């Protein structure tokens, strides 16, 4: 078993490296969630009347979904909670784009029939369950998106509500490779091994071949650090943990 290093809280973050990375990642996350605000508003308006929305009405949010595509966002849409629609147990309106100007967005289709061998029970996926159970926005990944692209992906999701009732999520997909391309220069400029981690301690991107995307950091108990409040911390050896703004992403700088 790999021992966890002790960590101590840092009150003066100006003494820590990585301000540029923290600021950039926080801004990127907020930009992606901002793209979902019109989708969220359209979905909530569509589902405003209890039992009044049908599967046939879902294309009504399509303009907002298409507008959300672009920049880092390569997929976006709405996924309903079971029985949130009046005439169908499940609902799925998702569109993808390669990001090239000459290629039109394409709609993603999945089997919504529980009796089908190809049925995808998305209600078991953490990009759906975490916002459902927490009532908060969520970033899922990195994971390989076998459903759509076979690419390492981050999925950003926000709960959709009808009054106090959870009725689904709106979300956006981002390729990890594009996220990495955007932040890699600032990570390299740190001059030390550094990585961005999710809340479970899994590497999203790093500036070291020793910390591959998807690998798990074990020498520090990152989930416990998050559970304790995610305050900036250092180990006696000089390893640093910092949260990137209000996002569930950690900057790890290794001594």
């Amino acid at each position: 078993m790999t021992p966890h290093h002790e960590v101590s809280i840092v009150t003066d973050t100006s003494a820590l490296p990585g301000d540029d990375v923290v600021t950039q990642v926080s801004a990127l996350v907020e930009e992606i969630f901002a793209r979902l605000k019109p989708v969220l508003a359209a979905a909530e308006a569509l589902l405003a009347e209890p039992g009044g929305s049908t599967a046939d009405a879902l294309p009504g949010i399509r303009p907002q979904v298409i507008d959300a595509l672009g920049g880092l966002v390569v997929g976006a849409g709405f996924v309903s909670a079971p029985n949130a629609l009046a005439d169908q147990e499940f609902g799925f309106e998702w569109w993808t784009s390669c990001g090239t100007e000459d290629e039109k967005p394409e709609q993603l289709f999945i089997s919504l029939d529980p009796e089908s061998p190809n049925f995808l029970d998305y209600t078991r996926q953490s990009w759906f369950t975490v916002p459902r159970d927490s009532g908060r926005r969520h970033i899922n990944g990195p994971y390989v998106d076998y459903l759509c692209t076979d690419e390492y992906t981050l999925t950003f999701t926000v709960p959709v509500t009808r009054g106090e009732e959870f009725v689904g999520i709106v979300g956006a997909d981002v390729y990890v490779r594009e996220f990495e391309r955007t932040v890699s220069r600032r990570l390299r400029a740190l001059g030390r091994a550094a990585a961005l981690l999710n809340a479970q301690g899994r590497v999203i991107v790093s500036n070291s071949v020793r910390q591959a995307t998807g690998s798990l950091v074990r020498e520090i108990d990152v989930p416990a650090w998050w559970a304790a409040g995610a305050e900036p911390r250092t180990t006696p050896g000089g390893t640093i943990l910092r949260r990137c703004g209000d996002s569930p992403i950690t900057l790890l700088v290794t001594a």
Side-chain angles (χ1 to χ4, degrees):
M1 179 179 295
T2 303
H4 291 140
H5 295 299
E6 295 293 328
V7 292
S8 57
I9 297 176
V10 176
T11 56
D12 181 12
T13 58
S14 64
L16 300 178
D19 282 348
D20 287 350
V21 176
V22 168
T23 299
Q24 183 188 26
V25 171
S26 178
L28 286 173
V29 168
E30 294 307 320
E31 178 184 340
I32 293 165
F33 278 120
R35 284 180 172 268
L36 288 175
K37 288 182 179 179
V39 186
L40 176 63
E44 289 184 334
L46 186 72
L47 296 162
E49 294 298 326
S53 300
T54 65
D56 289 340
L58 286 183
I61 67 173
R62 192 168 296 170
Q64 290 81 9
V65 171
I66 299 299
D67 285 347
L69 300 173
L72 291 177
V73 177
V74 296
F78 165 76
V79 182
S80 77
N83 302 308
L85 302 173
D87 62 341
Q88 191 167 293
E89 183 175 4
F90 302 101
F92 191 86
E93 179 76 20
W94 202 271
W95 288 72
T96 63
S97 171
C98 294
T100 57
E101 294 182 0
D102 57 346
E103 189 162 348
K104 294 182 179 179
E106 295 183 356
Q107 188 172 9
L108 178 63
F109 294 97
I110 63 172
S111 173
L112 299 176
D113 179 6
E115 302 302 320
S116 168
N118 298 318
F119 172 62
L120 174 67
D121 186 359
Y122 56 72
T123 65
R124 297 176 179 270
Q125 305 296 317
S126 56
W127 50 259
F128 186 89
T129 60
V130 173
R132 179 196 66 193
D133 297 342
S134 69
R136 297 175 56 112
R137 65 187 192 176
H138 177 61
I139 303 176
N140 188 58
Y143 67 98
V144 179
D145 185 5
Y146 292 112
L147 173 65
C148 186
T149 63
D150 290 334
E151 293 251 10
Y152 265 118
T153 301
L154 297 171
T155 297
F156 295 65
T157 51
V158 180
V160 181
T161 57
R162 180 167 55 204
E164 298 297 319
E165 178 190 10
F166 171 79
V167 290
I169 61 95
V170 295
D173 288 331
V174 172
Y175 289 151
V176 168
R177 58 178 168 83
E178 292 300 318
F179 192 85
E180 179 178 22
R181 181 184 58 80
T182 304
V183 302
S184 60
R185 182 178 64 82
R186 285 188 170 89
L187 280 177
R188 290 196 302 268
L190 289 173
R192 296 164 60 180
L196 296 172
L197 315 176
N198 67 13
Q200 291 73 48
R202 200 166 294 279
V203 175
I204 301 171
V205 299
S206 80
N207 63 6
S208 171
V209 296
R210 296 183 178 181
Q211 292 178 313
T213 295
S215 61
L216 190 64
V217 171
R218 300 183 183 277
E219 59 269 24
I220 295 177
D221 191 342
V222 176
W225 173 72
W226 274 99
E231 296 295 334
R233 297 193 177 190
T234 65
T235 70
T239 295
I240 298 165
L241 286 172
R242 300 184 62 180
R243 182 176 183 176
C244 294
D246 191 39
S247 73
I249 297 178
T250 303
L251 171 64
L252 170 70
V253 182
T254 305

